[in-house]
């Protein structure tokens, strides 16, 4: 069963693959993917590197707001929408077609809720349950990016430093 998948991966240029079982093949592919990504980012020019970090940092900074918005949507589906539908079922006067439409509304609401619950689970796994810690670290990283990408200067400690060094390196403008 693994042989056709292996053949396709080799044809597509994957390297360092070996059939042991499907879990091991998956792990090998993921490792290669992240190693390639890591190398590409580590060796990128400064602009590309810092843009990538800023994307991640922006997500992490917004993570408390993302988590809260997801919680609100789950609550909306659990309380308001579900209660409206249940009260309509309990108290409503409707025919078979309207009942089927109501059932469709219930299904749609539960699917929407499930999608938000899945997002919530992903966020919890990503953030380790504490989105504020990741958010603070991300803000610190953005501050550091501003610092390292700003023009630098050096303040000589000795007032009468060698003037040739200063003019040569053009450090003291």
């Amino acid at each position: 069963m693994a042989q056709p998948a292996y053949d396709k991966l080799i044809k597509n240029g994957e390297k360092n693959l070996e059939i042991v079982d499907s879990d091991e093949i998956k792990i090998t592919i993921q490792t290669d993917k992240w190693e390639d990504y890591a190398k590409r980012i580590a060796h990128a020019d400064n602009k590309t590197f810092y843009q990538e970090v800023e994307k991640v940092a922006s997500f992490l900074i917004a993570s408390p707001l993302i988590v809260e918005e997801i919680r609100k949507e789950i609550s909306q589906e659990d309380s308001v929408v579900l209660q409206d539908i249940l009260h309509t079922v309990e108290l409503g006067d409707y025919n078979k077609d309207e009942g089927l439409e109501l059932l469709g509304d219930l299904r749609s609401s539960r699917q929407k809720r499930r999608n938000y619950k899945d997002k919530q689970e992903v966020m919890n796994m990503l953030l380790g349950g504490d989105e504020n810690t990741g958010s603070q670290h991300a803000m610190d990283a953005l501050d550091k990016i501003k610092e390292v990408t700003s023009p630098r200067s050096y303040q000589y400690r000795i007032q009468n430093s060698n003037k040739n060094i200063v003019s040569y390196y053009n450090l003291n403008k």
Side-chain angles (χ1 to χ4, degrees):
M1 185 171 174
Q3 190 64 49
Y6 176 80
D7 293 341
K8 185 176 180 181
L9 290 167
I10 294 299
K11 185 179 177 182
N12 290 337
E14 294 292 342
K15 300 173 187 162
N16 304 322
L17 295 179
E18 163 183 356
I19 295 180
V20 177
D21 63 32
S22 61
D23 290 337
E24 191 159 324
I25 290 173
K26 182 179 177 183
I27 290 167
T28 303
I29 293 168
Q30 288 177 346
T31 301
D32 287 348
K33 175 183 174 181
W34 295 119
E35 284 176 1
D36 291 346
Y37 173 78
K39 286 178 184 175
R40 184 171 51 83
I41 296 302
H43 297 286
D45 60 274
N46 282 352
K47 181 180 178 185
T48 303
F49 176 83
Y50 291 125
Q51 283 175 340
E52 191 71 15
V53 172
E54 284 178 350
K55 281 185 213 175
V56 173
S58 297
F59 178 85
L60 290 173
I61 289 168
S63 64
L65 301 172
I66 295 168
V67 168
E68 183 56 32
E69 187 63 28
I70 290 170
R71 282 186 197 129
K72 285 179 187 174
E73 290 297 327
I74 292 169
S75 178
Q76 173 75 10
E77 294 302 318
D78 278 344
S79 58
V80 177
V81 175
L82 181 59
Q83 289 305 310
D84 285 352
I85 292 171
L86 292 176
H87 282 106
T88 303
V89 168
E90 177 186 2
L91 305 170
D93 183 21
Y94 46 88
N95 63 34
K96 181 174 67 172
D97 291 335
E98 292 166 333
L100 287 174
E101 189 176 325
L102 191 59
L103 182 61
D105 291 345
L106 177 61
R107 172 180 274 175
S108 176
S109 171
R110 301 320 283 172
Q111 288 173 339
K112 188 174 178 181
R113 179 189 180 277
R114 170 52 41 213
N115 288 335
Y116 282 113
K117 291 290 283 183
D118 291 345
K119 288 177 182 180
Q120 183 180 50
E121 187 175 356
V122 168
M123 291 297 290
N124 287 340
M125 293 174 85
L126 178 65
L127 302 170
D130 188 5
E131 66 273 5
N132 292 318
T133 300
S135 178
Q136 185 57 54
H137 290 308
M139 285 190 273
D140 294 344
L142 287 181
D143 288 343
K144 186 64 176 178
I145 289 172
K146 285 179 190 169
E147 179 185 318
V148 300
T149 58
S150 297
R152 295 181 179 199
S153 65
Y154 179 76
Q155 194 65 15
Y156 284 95
R157 291 181 242 170
I158 300 173
Q159 291 295 55
N160 296 323
S161 239
N162 185 333
K163 301 239 188 247
N164 290 335
I165 293 173
V166 174
S167 62
Y168 178 74
Y169 287 105
N170 201 15
L171 292 173
N172 211 6
K173 291 184 177 182

